[in-house]
Structure formats: structure tokens, C-alpha cells
Amino acid sequence: MEGKMMLTALLCIATVAVVNAGDPYFFYTWNVSYGNAAPLGVPQKVILINGQFPGPNINSTSNNNIVINVFNNLDEPFLLHWSGIQHRKNCWQDGLPGTTCPIMPGQNFTYHFQPKDQIGSYFYYPSTSLHRFAGGFGGLRVNSRLLIPVPYADPEDDYTVLINDWYTKSHTSIKNLLDSGRALGSPDGVLINGKSAKMDGKDQPLFTMKPGKTYKFRICNVGFKSTLNFRIQNHKMKLVEMEGSHVLQNDYDSLDVHVGQCFAVLVTADQAAKDYYMVASTRFLKKEMTSTGVLRYVGGSAQASTVLPKAPVGWAWSLNQFRSFRWNLTASAARPNPQGSYHYGKINITRTIKLVNSQQVVNGKLKFGLNGVSHIDTETPLKLAEYFQMAEKVFKYNVIKDEPGAMIKQLTVEPNVLNITFRTFVEVIFENREKSMQSYHLDGYSFFAVATEPGRWTPAKRENYNLLDAVSRHTVQVYPKSWSAILLTFDNAGMWNIRSENWERRYLGQQMYVSVLSPEKSLRDEYNIPLNAGLCGIVKGLSKPIIYS
């Protein structure tokens, strides 16, 4: 087994070492298995990574090579996805059903990826089936290299805070429920780092702070459908980074963290030495659910007050908070040039794509979709079919229109893949015509979230765009009966997922892929398929072509 692990790692490294020479390598072995836990007091089967729930944190630095050998000890195929990591020229490591064959039970696969020219707060999770409902998620941080200045003093310590809604049903029960055509319903509670404090004075602290010191907290919503408001008793939070971008440093009493989003804040231990509660509670649901975790001052002995700070009310408050977020144009990025040198507001838009979400009952089963198409994953990953020039046997390009029209009459169920020209500057509008909260993520890229407003989008709305200092990020929320606009250059060749971060909606079709093909078959634009990549579906057993050089 050890020989197999070493060979797999060496094969993976060999595929990209030619372009990553000189950057440090960090090796991990992860064993994925089932275990028992009771996060909300109800015993249930969860997914462990090396015996941990949540999984281990990855602590890396810009341009590090991260090599993770994942052994699947489950009874189902399994994949891990690294949310927010851009995988420049390397969608093979994205770990999604559209790009990668799953790791079969009893087998392993070695991921090798590099957060190239990235910093920030991210997380990973299982992308197959509904495994995310059982766990398997964890934090992933990318620190700035020492030669790149950071716009705040080094904190005393760096903590990862994973907040999420949670169901006490097993992931298999949830899958059976959704496969039968029924809706999921509301979650059963909220967790902070896989736990919910009992508030009986006996809870152990999740984190400790020394009086007078300042700490960084990386807060990620790794949940399924609920926006969560996060706050700390008696403490201000200074927002310094979100999803890979330094931001203007404003103080907040609480933050709405939408599904899939990560914020980094600085918290100073400037209160009396005692315990305090961190609080996470649901937003925009009929019934508010709250979880707490203990934050303890070193040397303190008094228990935390059971009087918790209240969450804000209404989504207008959340919309105004979104508008307060601004990119820090004076801070350096992950590479030695100022972020503000990229004047995105002065680039001409070459294409506008409006994506409208909807839901319908199709053949007696609930489905969700974008622009009238409910996406289904294929036995042959889309990228593999494309790479082996067999795409026409698996999917069709551009089954949706860039402008879906005023009404979506009927959902069709099929793979949804949009072809986008390499290195074009594109405007994407997410228009939510429903009454529910939406959150969308784009793999492989950061985009500029330039606006979110109530109502329907029209070209006249461009007058309201922030074309100067909108935050570069990878997830954007869309409020009920509202729209959000993003701008980006599609300069990362590969097959990339656009999805709802509401996992009921994603599983039932509210996602799609964008194919970005380089006209020049060159390693400058995209890496070859890794030598250790599995082949499945109609490409199983074929020889791996070496197209690029």
C-alpha cells in the first residue's frame, strides 16, 4: 500500500512539476470513513477524515503545492472539492462530477493543486451525491507569502470557524427523500465547528484569547441552504478579507454569511477576562435557529452571559451590509503588485449572460434549473468527454440562451454546458424571480460583484454598478425577487461549475458548467490530464492523449 501511495503521488507531481518548480510541496494522507456523532444530540452516521468531524484544517501559503492522497473507505463513490481555489489551468483537480471520475470504494486518488497567486479563507467538502450532509468538510486557508505585505499587524493566532445548518436525517435518507420528488424542508439546527454548546456552564471553549491580544477569525458558512448571522458577545469584528480579497477595514457587530461564503475578521480581547459566546443563527427562515460556541479569555473564570446578542431582522439590512463591502485598493494581492491596478470598470463587456432560477415538477418530481434547464451529471465527466473529443456523445453545448425571456415555461432535464470564448470579458446576471434566498458560486475564478438590487435587471441598471472597488470574490448572494451582477474575464481554460450553494437546489439541477477552451493547445493555457486521473464512462480503458506541449 505504501508503494502505491508513493507511486500515485509521484505520478501526480510529474504532470505539473515542469511549471511549479521551486515552490514548496506539502504532503497529506487522508482516510475518509464513516463514524458516529451527535452534533445536535441525536446519534447519526457522519463522514470523518482521519477520524475528525469536521475534517482537518489545511494551512498553506500562496503558491504552495498541496498533495493530498485521499483513501475512500466509504461504501459509495466519493470526491472532494476545494471551494474557492482557482486551480489555474488545472480543472482536473477541481473534484467535481463534471471534471473528475469519482474515487471508488476501497480506492484512492492523489489531488495535487496549487493556490497560485491566491490568499484568503476557503473550505473543502464532498461533491458527490449528498455526502456534504454527513460532513467531510473542513477549513482551507492560504496565507500571504512573507515578501507580500498584509494590511494589518500579525494576529496573535488564526482560528477557523465553520458555521452551518444541519439535519439529523442521514445523508442517504435525504437523498432518498429528494430522489422521490419531495422537498427537503427546514434544517434541524445550527453548528459551530461541528458542535452546539449546551449553555449549561460546562461547555469547553472552542477558542481562547489572551487579554489585550488581537486574533483572526476565518468564518465560513459550509451549510446547505441557510444564510447565517455570526456575532460575538460584547466584541466588534473588523472585516479584513473575504474570499481571497483584502477589503476596507470596517467594524461590524454582526455579519450575514451566506451559504458558501467566507469572511476573515480581527477580534481584540478588550473585554473583561471571562467566557463569551460566539453566536450563529439562521436568517430568512420562518423559524430562527441559533447555535453558540464558547470563546474563553485566558485567566478568566466567569461563565458567559446567557443573554445573547440578537440577529438583525429583514433582508434590507443584509443588502445594505453588502453595499458596505469595498475592495482595499491600496493593499497588495498575493503577488507583488497592487490589486487596484486591475481597472475592471474600464473594460468593454463582450457578452451578457442572464441566469434565471426556477423550480417545477417534472414527471412528478421536484426539479430546479437555470434558464429552463435542470442539469444532470453524466456517467462520463464532461471535461473527459470534451478532452477525448467525444463531447457530442455525452452533452450538447449552449442548450440555454443568454437571455431566457420573461417567462420560463417548462424545465427540461439534461446536461447544461455553456461555451464561453477564452479571455473574453463577460457580464453575468443572476436574476431571482422567486421568494427564496439564493447564493451562487463560480469555480475557477474570482469575479467582481458589482451590484445587487430588488426587481428585474435591465441594461439601464448598469448605471448603478460599482465600477471602482467592488470586491473580487467567488460567491454572491441574490435576495428574493432581486438580481445580482458580476463581471469577470474568462481567462482560465477548463470546465468550470456555476451552481446554487443551496444543496437541495444544486442536487436537483440548479447548476451548470461553462467550457472555456483555449484556441492554442498549449501548457501555457491548460495542463494535460494528470497521469493518475481515473477514466470512467465511455472513455474508460482509452489511452490518455497528450495534446498539449
Side-chain angles (χ1 to χ4, degrees):
M1 181 64 73
E2 291 182 0
K4 181 180 178 182
M5 291 166 52
M6 181 60 70
L7 177 61
T8 305
L10 289 175
L11 288 173
C12 184
I13 293 165
T15 63
V16 290
V18 65
V19 291
N20 293 335
D23 294 316
Y25 282 79
F26 294 89
F27 297 88
Y28 304 88
T29 298
W30 283 4
N31 286 289
V32 179
S33 62
Y34 287 123
N36 296 311
L40 290 176
V42 179
Q44 60 187 118
K45 184 166 68 174
V46 298
I47 291 177
L48 309 175
I49 298 179
N50 289 353
Q52 299 179 43
F53 171 82
N57 286 322
I58 298 176
N59 187 16
S60 67
T61 299
S62 298
N63 296 0
N64 284 173
N65 288 281
I66 301 172
V67 183
I68 306 178
N69 194 1
V70 177
F71 286 81
N72 178 14
N73 299 305
L74 308 182
D75 55 1
E76 299 177 90
F78 184 80
L79 279 175
L80 282 173
H81 171 62
W82 322 95
S83 184
I85 299 301
Q86 292 181 19
H87 301 293
R88 299 300 297 179
K89 306 186 290 185
N90 198 16
C91 72
W92 306 109
Q93 304 297 330
D94 208 23
L96 288 173
T99 60
T100 312
C101 294
I103 310 169
M104 301 307 290
Q107 298 183 9
N108 69 305
F109 177 74
T110 300
Y111 292 91
H112 177 193
F113 59 91
Q114 184 183 33
K116 186 71 173 175
D117 292 332
Q118 278 189 270
I119 57 100
S121 307
Y122 310 98
F123 62 97
Y124 62 86
Y125 61 83
S127 62
T128 38
S129 187
L130 289 173
H131 291 133
R132 184 166 167 175
F133 283 82
F137 48 76
L140 198 171
R141 69 180 65 159
V142 184
N143 303 300
S144 182
R145 290 176 289 168
L146 292 178
L147 75 159
I148 309 298
V150 174
Y152 48 87
D154 289 341
E156 179 71 14
D157 210 338
D158 194 326
Y159 295 138
T160 295
V161 185
L162 304 178
I163 57 177
N164 61 286
D165 49 6
W166 188 254
Y167 290 81
T168 55
K169 297 184 184 72
S170 70
H171 72 281
T172 52
S173 296
I174 292 173
K175 183 178 184 301
N176 291 336
L177 180 74
L178 297 182
D179 287 346
S180 71
R182 291 176 288 173
L184 180 56
S186 297
D188 297 305
V190 176
L191 303 179
I192 301 178
N193 284 14
K195 301 177 181 179
S196 183
K198 296 180 180 179
M199 299 180 65
D200 58 0
K202 299 178 182 180
D203 296 303
Q204 292 300 308
L206 294 179
F207 308 107
T208 59
M209 298 199 301
K210 298 176 183 177
K213 300 295 184 180
T214 297
Y215 295 77
K216 180 190 281 189
F217 288 78
R218 301 176 188 260
I219 309 154
C220 294
N221 185 339
V222 300
F224 315 119
K225 67 188 304 180
S226 306
T227 295
L228 297 173
N229 183 269
F230 182 82
R231 51 217 186 264
I232 303 175
Q233 278 182 327
N234 294 16
H235 289 78
K236 296 281 188 180
M237 298 180 291
K238 183 181 294 294
L239 183 65
V240 294
E241 176 259 321
M242 56 193 304
E243 297 172 34
S245 290
H246 298 303
V247 297
L248 294 185
Q249 297 179 12
N250 295 320
D251 289 331
Y252 295 90
D253 293 317
S254 69
L255 287 165
D256 269 0
V257 189
H258 304 278
V259 185
Q261 294 181 351
C262 291
F263 295 163
V265 301
L266 298 180
V267 178
T268 300
D270 56 3
Q271 301 296 307
K274 52 173 287 190
D275 286 357
Y276 297 89
Y277 282 120
M278 299 177 293
V279 186
S281 56
T282 57
R283 298 269 276 133
F284 319 123
L285 298 181
K286 292 182 179 179
K287 179 182 177 181
E288 181 181 298
M289 287 169 278
T290 297
S291 180
T292 59
V294 174
L295 181 62
R296 176 164 296 170
Y297 275 55
V298 175
S301 58
Q303 296 179 12
S305 169
T306 55
V307 179
L308 303 179
K310 296 185 180 298
V313 177
W315 61 266
W317 180 95
S318 187
L319 174 60
N320 287 331
Q321 184 170 86
F322 167 87
R323 291 170 173 165
S324 74
F325 300 148
R326 291 290 187 266
W327 206 16
N328 187 340
L329 300 183
T330 64
S332 292
R335 56 197 176 279
N337 66 294
Q339 292 178 339
S341 65
Y342 187 68
H343 299 294
Y344 68 93
K346 297 181 180 180
I347 303 175
N348 292 329
I349 296 169
T350 60
R351 183 178 179 183
T352 298
I353 302 169
K354 183 191 291 184
L355 299 177
V356 178
N357 55 279
S358 61
Q359 59 175 299
Q360 288 177 2
V361 175
V362 180
N363 296 326
K365 294 184 179 182
L366 178 64
K367 294 290 183 181
F368 298 90
L370 293 170
N371 290 15
V373 174
S374 180
H375 174 82
I376 54 171
D377 288 322
T378 54
E379 183 182 1
T380 306
L382 304 170
K383 180 60 179 176
L384 284 177
E386 184 177 73
Y387 188 81
F388 282 89
Q389 300 181 9
M390 302 174 73
E392 71 280 357
K393 296 183 179 181
V394 177
F395 66 92
K396 297 177 182 178
Y397 292 104
N398 305 320
V399 295
I400 63 171
K401 297 179 179 179
D402 289 358
E403 169 54 66
M407 181 178 296
I408 297 173
K409 296 181 180 180
Q410 182 64 45
L411 283 178
T412 61
V413 181
E414 60 184 314
N416 193 354
V417 183
L418 204 60
N419 194 290
I420 295 184
T421 303
F422 188 49
R423 291 180 177 164
T424 52
F425 192 69
V426 177
E427 174 186 50
V428 181
I429 311 299
F430 296 102
E431 189 171 276
N432 180 14
R433 298 176 183 175
E434 301 180 57
K435 295 180 181 180
S436 58
M437 188 74 192
Q438 304 290 321
S439 182
Y440 288 97
H441 176 91
L442 170 59
D443 285 337
Y445 295 90
S446 287
F447 52 69
F448 298 97
V450 293
T452 183
E453 291 187 354
R456 298 269 182 109
W457 181 87
T458 66
K461 300 294 186 179
R462 293 182 181 129
E463 296 180 0
N464 300 333
Y465 285 5
N466 176 1
L467 297 180
L468 176 63
D469 59 357
V471 178
S472 176
R473 55 194 307 186
H474 54 72
T475 307
V476 65
Q477 69 268 27
V478 192
Y479 295 96
K481 299 287 185 178
S482 300
W483 57 268
S484 293
I486 66 174
L487 302 176
L488 74 152
T489 300
F490 278 93
D491 60 353
N492 192 13
M495 183 75 71
W496 305 105
N497 191 229
I498 299 178
R499 63 179 171 273
S500 171
E501 285 293 298
N502 178 317
W503 272 70
E504 176 182 22
R505 287 177 167 267
R506 174 201 171 276
Y507 180 73
L508 296 180
Q510 194 169 310
Q511 61 168 315
M512 60 181 294
Y513 284 83
V514 291
S515 172
V516 185
L517 293 172
S518 167
E520 299 180 17
K521 306 294 186 181
S522 170
L523 282 174
R524 181 194 66 185
D525 296 334
E526 186 174 11
Y527 295 156
N528 290 315
I529 184 173
L531 296 179
N532 71 323
L535 300 182
C536 52
I538 63 173
V539 302
K540 186 175 182 180
L542 298 182
S543 299
K544 296 173 184 173
I546 303 298
I547 297 178
Y548 304 157
S549 60

